Each structure stands twice: as structure tokens, then as C-alpha cells.
Amino acid sequence: MQYIAKDIEYKWQSTWRDSSYSEPKDDYNLPKKYILSMFPYPSGRLHMGHVRNYAIGDALSRYYRNQGFNVLQPMGFDSFGMPAENAAIKHKIHPKKWTYENIDYMIKELDSLGFSFSKKRLLATSDPLYTKWEQEFFIKMYEKGLVYRKSAVVNWCENDQTVLANEQVEDGKCWRCGHEVVQKEMPGYYLKITEYANELLECLKDLEGKWPSQVITMQENWIGKSNGLEFKFEFDDSSKEIVKNDGFMVFTTRPDTIYGVSYCALAPEHDIVKGLLNSEFISTDIKDKIKSMLNQSPKERQIADKDGVYLGINAIHPLTKELVPIWCANFVLAQYGHGALMAVPAHDERDYEFAIKFNLPIKKVIECDELPYTQKSGKHINSNMINGKEYEEASRVIINYFQNNNTGKEVTNYKLRDWGISRQRYWGAPIPMVHCDKCGIVAQKLENLPILLPDDVVITGEGNPLDKHPNFKNCKCPKCGNQANRETDTMDTFFESSWYFARYASDEKTWEKVAIDKKSVDYWMSVDQYIGGIEHAILHLLYARFFQKVLRDLGYLRDSEPFASLLTQGMVLKDGVKMSKSKGNTVDPDDIIAKYGADTARLFILFAAPPQKELEWNDSAVEGAFKFINRLCDRSVNAYKTEQIPDINHSNLDKDEKYARLKVYEALKKSSDVFESSFAFNTLIAACMEALNALNAQNNKDIWTEGYYIILNLLEPIIPHICWELSSKLFGLKNFRKIELKSEVFDSDIINLVITINGKRRAQIEVDKSLSNEEIIAQAKVAVSKWIAQAQIVKEIYVPNKLVNIVIKG
Ligand code: ANZ
Ligand code: ZN
């Protein structure tokens, strides 16, 4: 048979479409698998990273369908966001038009790869119906106190002209465009993800072994839980006069070191520092120093040398009543704890460095040889009520002292911050809030949803066009009916991707009526296998876990975790660097499909590397994949037509026949592990190649047919088009089903024996199974003759089918 990929692929793609092959069934008694690949942003074209992601997901979906599962494998588009607006500015095309044209094109590309995505659940997050329900979520969250508005210092990207969440700043730069991020104070809406900090952390334990440990660790660190003591430092009287304040709070994870405090440090953003900046009390020099620290982003400060300045004020040590000087320092984070710390230079790295630089006293309070000594073990010294005690007990005593005196309390702090979701851009879901002079901030009424974007906007890249759109901005207050202003910020697009998996899991016939259809969602959720890039380890994967819990608490969902199992695929490289437009080293999937066909692209991608690893593009390996498919076609002449596996009497076969059959069944045996846990498709493909070679070395038509039947079954998830073509010619498509292993194939006439002397492994031999025990021991002794020639044999032990141990003396 001549292999013409284009014709074959077109034919089967049409068949799948017309027969609704890829659609999930509504029969909720069937066992199910929900296989989800992260949806793409509709940038215009698929890239190889997408192809890799979806080739993995499709392989799993097809495998489970063949195993008799009801499979949901949906697809959609994460279609709000900045690039659409940037395209609008550059090419004078409306973001909506640009987005939906891209979606149309990308759907064609996905189809041309033969991915079996459900079409009836296809969605784009910019669809009005999607906006409607997420605005409902926003309002329900607001009513539950999980949304609030505040003015705060935020990360601002000058290039994208918008706010970024903490998760969206990478090394001080915008995650999207790489532009330097600056700090700016502005109002916005925040989601209280911190209220779920502990649950988000605790549930990570249940994901162990099912999510990559790297992702779990990154989330743990991001949530950053620490236990400690918070208490107030009182100013001395003269300082109180100056700052018009009686003190400030600090948080410490080491209350046991409290007698070692020799100064305190405040973040440059601290209110007390702000107050001093506006006062006459400190000199211009000091003010300049503070301003220069304020001008650095938190990230810049972290890598900068320790710096700071004495503020001329002092506090009283709560236990020793000594005076403690108050500094402003660049290593104190405004956003953590209380933005202030008690410094213990003898036992903390940063405090030590700072003390050395500014010549501040260093007080040792734990027995040690060298400073700074940052470990917890050791007896306390110079520490009045905790002298001689070790860390645990010492901490307990100090915490109890503060709690008994009502001057401090034991607290848990998290690094995690609330999620700022206001974006000052047009192409996003409008935040459904209204500003009324009389009523303040008012949520929209649910019956007014969706609040849709106006189409007639002028997009210039300067400022938010919604802000300049009078018809959109002017509205009636939902509460008092007076003239009011609509909120013109739109939502962070991560809001949309935080619940799309639940929308997909809802029966599409309910989409008009409800956000999430409980019955179908309870059947399909959670996602059995989620597949996507590691770059989402904190961003999307944390937000989605948070939403799942919120939507559970709002009664929409049952489960606490959205993704039961996660596979993060490696990057696609060319010449050792990530394929990307900016590097100019991309390979266009469309070109590969045109030249070789989709099956070759899929085979290459799954064969070249295990999915978790990086994949280096290799033209000759693509060629190799194409050749293998051709060989597979050519060999089809060796099999005959049948709808079932031929009956074969294994014991009547000769050596080559048995070997060929063994190779086929070894591949079959491997497949369940590959598809269900290791995802090492490369090893399965290699096993199929080996089996095909072994088949070729014998002439038995039954064995050929059986082997071919099984190999097509195993390769269908990977190269579906050609497998359907060949299977329809030979097996009436009856071989895409669960195939049982046959144990007799693995029974071999040869046994592998290990030979040990006095328990020490010395040799390994193959012996014929039919030999007697005496004959086997005799062969074993020949194999180890050089070790036993001079010795006296005390005992010979034969453990059948496993080993011979010879005990010798001398
Ligand atoms: C005294 C002390 C002594 C501390 C010692 C540590 C070691 P984690 O573990 O990350 O939660 N700290 C408190 N607030 C801070 C802020 N806003 N910016 C920077 N550092 C701050 O860190 C908690 C520790 O970091 C606290 O415990 C405090 O220093 C410091 F031998 O207090 B520690
Ligand atoms: Zn009002």
C-alpha cells in the first residue's frame, strides 16, 4: 500500500467529525476519564509546544476510549488579553475580530492534527455567555467577602500599561512582555486567596505522587507559611513625641533570640517612615537615602547590598527595657508580616551583614563558636528567663510570657498575598461593579449580567478606552437608581482560566441556564489527567486550585482539588534553545503536516523524548518517523483480513515464532504502564518497532496477523489516521479495544539462573527448563569452575527458576 498521508488523514478526520467520535457520552453510568490539556491563547497559529501538549493529551484520550472509558477531552481558547489589543494598535483591526479570526484558523490547525477534541463543548473565554457566569462568580464572591477594593502599591508594567499580580512578575519583569516592572499606588479589586492559604497548602499533601514534586515545592514556597510571635515595640517618650505614635509591630519566627535584639528595622514603605519623610525631624540626607530605597523595586532591593539609615528614634526592648535604635533598611519587605523586624545580628544572616556594615552591636544569645550562628540547636545564654534552655522550650517560654501579658501573640504568617485582579485594559471581562456617589461601591444585579464590552472603542494604547467611553461608563446605580459610574477596569485573564475546566465538564445543553451544571460536573470532575507547561506552576495552577475551593464553598462544585494528576511537559527546543518567534528558530506545524502528514508529526514528537523532558527538534528524526509509518504500511501485506485475534497454539511454535509473539506481547504489556502512569511513549514506540522487526523474521501468517492487530491497537493513540486506515482494511476497526495479555506467550523454555558462591554473585547462565535439578547444578558448576576448582564444596542449593548457591570451604 502506498502511503499518502494527506488523503488518509482527510478521510479519517471527516469520519471522526461526522460520527461524533470525539464527543463524550451523556451516559453517566459509564466509567469516565477527563483528559485536559491547557487551552491556548489564540495568538494566530499553533506552535510546536501546543502540538506536543495536545499530542500527549490525545494519546491518553484515545487510549482510554479504546479501553472502554467515556472520555471527555475538551478544547477552547483563553481569548481575552493583551495581544489582541496590541494587534489592534498595530494593524488597526478590532481585538474581537482579530481574536475570533485566529480562533477559526487554529481550530482548523487542531483538526488537521487529528486531535479528538469535543466540539460541542468548545468555548472561548471572551464569549458573552462565559463573561456572564464569571461576573456572577465575582458578585457571589463579593457578597461572601472574598472580594474587596483597596488602594495599594502594585506592580505596574509601563509597556503593557497595566497592573500585574505578584505571581505575574518574574525576576522583576513582566511575565508577558519582559518589561521592567515598577511600583505604583492605585486602587483595585482583590480576591482573598489568603483566606485559603492554609487549605491550599494542606491539600498539596494529597497531590504528592500525582503532581510533579517540583510544582508542589514551588507552590509550598509561594504560600510560604511560618509560625512565630508578633508583638509591639514601644517607643521611648521622646520618640513618641516625634512620630506621634506609640510603637510598631514586628513578626519573628525566632522569639527565643529576643535577648539578642540590638536594633529594629522598618521597610522604606512603613507608615512611620512615611511620617518622618513628611516631617522636619530628619535631615535631607536621610530623606534622600529613604527615597532612593523607595525607588528600587522589591526585587532590586533583594539583590542589592544591604543598605539603610538610622531614623533618630528609639524603642524600648520589651524584656530588658534597654533602648533599641530604629533603622530603615532595604531588606525589610513592606508586604510581609508588619513590614518591620527585630534584628538579631548574632543569629540571622541579613541582620548580621547589616550590623557589620553599620557597626551595630552584636549580642550572642546561643552558645556557638562562630557568628552568625543561625541554627536552632544550642543552649541560650545572656537570656535571663531562658538561660540554659534550648530552642523549643525557650520559644515557648517567650511566647507564653507575651501572651500572658497580653502584649503579643502566636501567629502564622504567609508569604502569599491577595490576588489583585483589576486590569486597566479593554479586552477583558468587565468587572461588574458600579461607583455611586450616594451608595459607594455597588455590585451589579445578577439579572443585569452579562455586562458586555462596547464594540465601538478607539484603541490607542494610551489609557483604558472604556474610561473614555461615555455610554459604557455612565450607568444607573443598581441600588438607588441615581446616575453612577461603571467600573472600567477589566478582570485579569487568569480569572477566566481558573474555572474553564468546570465549564467544560458541564453539559453544554445547560450552558445558557447555569454557570456550572452540578450533575454533569459531579460526574466528570475532577480532571483525571491535566497536561501543560511547567511555567504555570504557580500562576494558573494556584489560582485554579483556589477557585475550585471557592466554587465548592459557593455550592457550585463538590471536590476540593481540580486536577487529580498533573503532567508538565518539557519545552520544545531547536539548536539547544527554546523554539520561539523572538529567537527565529520555530518550525511551523503546518509545514510539517504539509510535507509528511499529522501522524509523522505526532510520532516524532512522542518518540523523540519522554514528555516530561525537553525535546530537541531533529529533521532527520522527523524523516525517520515518516519512514517508520511507510514501513508499517508496507508490512500490512503480511496480515490477512479478520475481525478477531487468530487462535494460536503457542506450544506448537518454533523459536522465531515464539520470539516474535513474545515481542508483540511485551509491547502490549508495556502499554498500560505507559498510558496510565509513566507516559514514556518513546519506550512503547520502540517496543512496537522491535515487535515489527521480530515479526518480519518469521513467516507464520497467523502470528503476523495477530501481531499486526495488536501493534495497530497500540499505535492508534499516537498515529491514529494510519492505524484507522490499515485497521479498516484488515480488521474492520475491531481491534481498537482492550486486548488481554496471554500468559503462555511469556512462558519461556529457557530460564535465567544466577549462580552464587557463599552468597556472592559469580555468574549468570541460561539453562533449558526441561533439565533435571542435578543436570542444572552440574551446568552451574561448570560456569563457576574457576572459583570452586581448589575448594571443598560443602553444600549445593538450587532455588528453582532463580538461583544456584554453592557453599565452599577454604
Ligand atoms: C528575629 C530573628 C532572629 C529572625 C533570627 C530570624 C532569625 P520567614 O521565616 O521567611 O517567615 N522578618 C519579619 N518581618 C520581615 C519583613 N517584613 N521583611 C523581612 N524580614 C522580616 O521570616 C521571618 C523572619 O524574617 C522573622 O524572624 C524576622 O526576623 C524577619 F535568628 O526575627 B526574625
Ligand atoms: Zn446608589
Side-chain angles (χ1 to χ4, degrees):
M1 176 193 136
Q2 216 210 331
Y3 176 51
I4 300 174
K6 196 166 183 247
D7 296 348
I8 294 169
E9 294 184 354
Y10 180 80
K11 170 178 159 189
W12 291 105
Q13 283 160 16
S14 311
T15 306
W16 295 330
R17 186 182 54 240
D18 297 344
S19 65
S20 298
Y21 164 75
S22 312
E23 297 305 335
K25 296 185 185 64
D26 291 337
D27 180 353
Y28 295 164
N29 294 313
L30 296 169
K32 68 93 187 180
K33 287 286 172 187
Y34 183 0
I35 309 293
L36 181 63
S37 293
M38 290 182 183
F39 63 170
Y41 177 78
S43 57
R45 295 180 92 82
L46 292 181
H47 56 64
M48 278 301 167
H50 293 130
V51 179
R52 188 179 199 194
N53 195 157
Y54 306 148
I56 298 165
D58 200 46
L60 300 184
S61 300
R62 287 174 178 273
Y63 168 79
Y64 281 116
R65 263 185 224 118
N66 294 347
Q67 301 296 305
F69 285 86
N70 186 12
V71 172
L72 172 60
Q73 187 191 209
M75 184 38 66
F77 293 89
D78 192 9
S79 56
F80 270 139
M82 219 89 67
E85 263 176 271
N86 296 340
I89 298 160
K90 214 164 144 193
H91 306 300
K92 302 269 174 284
I93 174 173
H94 195 280
K96 188 191 253 177
K97 186 158 187 281
W98 184 85
T99 301
Y100 283 89
E101 282 177 5
N102 286 348
I103 289 176
D104 287 344
Y105 185 79
M106 289 169 81
I107 290 174
K108 291 207 186 79
E109 285 187 299
L110 292 170
D111 285 345
S112 74
L113 281 153
F115 295 140
S116 56
F117 292 124
S118 164
K119 282 292 171 57
K120 58 185 191 185
R121 305 266 170 101
L122 190 99
L123 60 81
T125 57
S126 53
D127 294 344
L129 210 45
Y130 198 83
T131 297
K132 170 173 172 164
W133 299 119
E134 80 179 18
Q135 288 173 337
E136 175 178 305
F137 294 152
F138 185 94
I139 291 167
K140 294 239 160 121
M141 285 159 93
Y142 180 73
E143 285 166 352
K144 207 167 185 260
L146 290 170
V147 174
Y148 62 95
R149 185 176 163 86
K150 73 168 177 193
S151 186
V153 176
V154 293
N155 309 299
W156 176 264
C157 174
E158 271 302 333
N159 182 49
D160 289 336
Q161 288 282 309
T162 189
V163 169
L164 300 168
N166 290 343
E167 290 82 359
Q168 295 155 13
V169 181
E170 290 164 357
D171 293 329
K173 302 201 167 69
C174 171
W175 72 286
R176 194 190 330 260
C177 73
H179 200 274
E180 203 67 43
V181 169
V182 296
Q183 307 296 303
K184 195 166 164 174
E185 169 136 9
M186 55 177 7
Y189 292 90
Y190 287 80
L191 301 192
K192 266 197 200 161
I193 189 170
T194 52
E195 201 153 304
Y196 285 82
N198 201 44
E199 201 194 341
L200 285 166
L201 188 68
E202 286 301 310
C203 287
L204 285 174
K205 294 197 187 99
D206 304 330
L207 299 177
E208 264 163 39
K210 295 181 266 179
W211 278 38
S213 53
Q214 193 194 353
V215 176
I216 292 179
T217 307
M218 284 165 85
Q219 291 211 359
E220 275 169 0
N221 292 341
W222 187 261
I223 296 167
K225 178 176 180 169
S226 22
N227 295 315
L229 170 74
E230 65 173 25
F231 65 92
K232 192 167 182 177
F233 266 95
E234 291 254 349
F235 287 122
D236 69 347
D237 288 340
S238 57
S239 302
K240 275 184 191 165
E241 276 298 305
I242 294 159
V243 297
K244 311 270 181 283
N245 203 323
D246 57 356
F248 59 93
M249 297 291 291
V250 295
F251 169 68
T252 176
T253 48
R254 296 292 306 274
D256 62 304
T257 64
I258 191 160
Y259 288 97
V261 172
S262 59
Y263 63 98
C264 283
L266 309 180
E269 287 87 355
H270 199 285
D271 279 343
I272 286 173
V273 180
K274 266 191 205 150
L276 287 171
L277 268 179
N278 294 326
S279 77
E280 303 285 286
F281 178 72
I282 53 173
S283 69
T284 327
D285 282 358
I286 298 176
K287 287 183 180 173
D288 286 347
K289 175 63 122 203
I290 295 168
K291 283 180 192 155
S292 81
M293 292 193 278
L294 280 170
N295 276 336
Q296 282 192 313
S297 72
K299 270 273 150 65
E300 286 170 326
R301 282 182 226 172
Q302 256 175 26
I303 46 178
D305 284 341
K306 300 273 166 303
D307 203 358
V309 66
Y310 175 52
L311 294 170
I313 50 174
N314 305 296
I316 300 164
H317 190 289
L319 301 181
T320 65
K321 309 296 174 197
E322 285 168 340
L323 272 194
V324 178
I326 311 302
W327 288 63
C328 173
N330 67 346
F331 67 94
V332 188
L333 306 170
Q335 307 256 356
Y336 189 60
H338 296 280
L341 58 83
M342 64 175 218
V344 185
H347 303 291
D348 180 273
E349 204 81 54
R350 298 166 303 176
D351 300 350
Y352 181 81
E353 232 183 281
F354 193 85
I356 292 289
K357 178 162 179 182
F358 293 103
N359 214 356
L360 293 159
I362 297 171
K363 295 183 185 172
K364 180 162 140 179
V365 290
I366 302 174
E367 266 180 5
C368 60
D369 297 331
E370 230 181 292
L371 293 180
Y373 176 78
T374 58
Q375 284 164 50
K376 288 174 177 165
S377 61
K379 287 197 172 25
H380 284 76
I381 50 174
N382 306 321
S383 294
N384 192 357
M385 66 172 107
I386 50 174
N387 274 333
K389 295 194 180 358
E390 301 242 1
Y391 167 76
E392 287 290 341
E393 201 192 345
S395 301
R396 201 67 266 151
V397 170
I398 299 297
I399 290 172
N400 288 348
Y401 174 86
F402 277 94
Q403 301 209 125
N404 292 340
N405 290 301
N406 275 328
T407 48
K409 76 174 191 276
E410 191 170 8
V411 288
T412 301
N413 259 329
Y414 295 90
K415 293 251 155 52
L416 186 68
R417 295 276 76 95
D418 280 338
W419 172 17
I421 57 111
S422 295
R423 295 293 176 273
Q424 296 66 29
R425 299 289 300 226
Y426 165 72
W427 190 236
I431 294 174
M433 303 295 278
V434 169
H435 301 263
C436 169
D437 282 344
K438 198 170 135 218
C439 316
I441 300 173
V442 185
Q444 270 296 352
K445 290 191 174 135
L446 295 183
E447 68 247 35
N448 293 341
L449 303 182
I451 307 297
L452 293 178
L453 290 171
D455 285 337
D456 57 333
V457 285
V458 187
I459 295 167
T460 58
E462 268 154 51
N464 180 353
L466 294 178
D467 217 27
K468 298 175 213 140
H469 192 287
N471 289 343
F472 179 80
K473 199 170 176 179
N474 294 335
C475 68
K476 294 260 178 299
C477 168
K479 207 162 160 188
C480 71
N482 284 344
Q483 199 56 36
N485 282 335
R486 202 187 295 286
E487 172 63 55
T488 58
D489 284 351
T490 53
M491 294 189 211
D492 182 359
T493 57
F494 279 100
F495 200 101
E496 280 103 54
S497 51
S498 294
W499 69 284
Y500 77 117
F501 44 88
R503 183 66 169 171
Y504 283 148
S506 299
D507 187 333
E508 73 286 349
K509 296 186 282 300
T510 68
W511 280 13
E512 293 255 345
K513 275 179 274 146
V514 288
I516 287 169
D517 171 52
K518 196 86 172 56
K519 186 159 163 256
S520 34
V521 157
D522 282 354
Y523 171 71
W524 286 112
M525 289 290 279
S526 36
V527 173
D528 293 284
Q529 185 64 54
Y530 198 26
I531 308 140
I534 185 95
E535 66 274 20
H536 295 287
I538 297 176
L539 289 159
H540 161 61
L541 288 169
L542 188 65
Y543 296 150
R545 295 183 57 230
F546 162 57
F547 255 64
Q548 176 81 25
K549 294 173 201 305
V550 171
L551 293 180
R552 174 201 62 197
D553 293 346
L554 289 172
Y556 290 98
L557 296 173
R558 174 198 58 204
D559 305 324
S560 295
E561 284 293 326
F563 313 125
S565 185
L566 171 70
L567 168 64
T568 48
Q569 98 258 8
M571 286 189 299
V572 181
L573 315 179
K574 187 157 188 237
D575 306 320
V577 283
K578 182 183 176 176
M579 262 192 196
S580 71
K581 270 196 207 149
S582 61
K583 297 259 161 39
N585 63 347
T586 55
V587 176
D588 189 338
D590 290 358
D591 295 343
I592 300 297
I593 297 167
K595 189 164 174 199
Y596 299 104
D599 281 341
T600 295
R602 298 171 60 138
L603 181 62
F604 162 73
I605 277 191
L606 295 182
F607 187 48
Q612 300 88 339
K613 295 273 158 61
E614 290 177 336
L615 183 156
E616 174 71 39
W617 190 264
N618 178 332
D619 289 322
S620 67
V622 177
E623 193 72 42
F626 180 68
K627 285 202 181 116
F628 172 74
I629 297 175
N630 274 280
R631 204 172 336 133
L632 184 70
C633 288
D634 292 344
R635 301 274 163 88
S636 67
V637 295
N638 296 308
Y640 55 75
K641 266 181 121 154
T642 176
E643 295 203 347
Q644 55 206 334
I645 296 189
D647 231 344
I648 295 169
N649 186 337
H650 196 69
S651 53
N652 290 345
L653 303 179
D654 72 21
K655 204 168 129 255
D656 286 345
E657 291 167 334
K658 280 186 176 165
Y659 183 72
R661 246 191 137 202
L662 177 66
K663 287 289 140 187
V664 169
Y665 276 88
E666 274 177 359
L668 178 62
K669 193 171 175 190
K670 196 177 212 51
S671 66
S672 53
D673 174 59
V674 166
F675 286 110
E676 292 169 30
S677 76
S678 78
F679 310 121
F681 305 109
N682 53 326
T683 65
L684 177 64
I685 297 165
C688 288
M689 289 173 170
E690 236 182 279
L692 203 63
N693 288 339
L695 284 171
N696 216 32
Q698 54 81 56
N699 299 311
N700 184 325
K701 280 262 168 193
D702 284 340
I703 290 176
W704 251 114
T705 305
E706 180 198 46
Y708 207 71
Y709 186 99
I710 293 175
I711 290 172
L712 292 187
N713 170 290
L714 298 178
L715 291 177
E716 189 276 338
I718 296 164
I719 44 173
H721 307 86
I722 188 60
C723 289
W724 281 61
E725 176 70 13
L726 293 167
S727 168
S728 79
K729 291 226 160 80
L730 290 165
F731 310 128
L733 297 171
K734 290 289 187 324
N735 58 326
F736 301 142
R737 61 181 182 84
K738 187 176 172 68
I739 297 177
E740 298 297 336
L741 289 170
K742 289 205 164 79
S743 62
E744 75 268 21
V745 177
F746 296 95
D747 290 345
S748 166
D749 297 337
I750 305 287
I751 41 180
N752 258 313
L753 279 188
V754 172
I755 302 152
T756 57
I757 298 174
N758 292 352
K760 194 164 179 177
R761 185 192 172 107
R762 288 301 186 193
Q764 185 168 356
I765 57 168
E766 286 186 347
V767 294
D768 203 305
K769 220 180 185 173
S770 58
L771 295 180
S772 69
N773 287 4
E774 288 71 32
E775 287 169 314
I776 287 174
I777 291 171
Q779 285 200 12
K781 280 156 83 172
V782 173
V784 293
S785 57
K786 68 172 171 183
W787 284 283
I788 57 176
Q790 309 297 327
Q792 186 198 339
I793 295 181
V794 183
K795 215 172 175 185
E796 299 160 349
I797 307 154
Y798 174 46
V799 183
N801 301 326
K802 283 210 180 83
L803 122 166
V804 174
N805 184 31
I806 300 167
V807 183
I808 58 170
K809 220 160 86 180

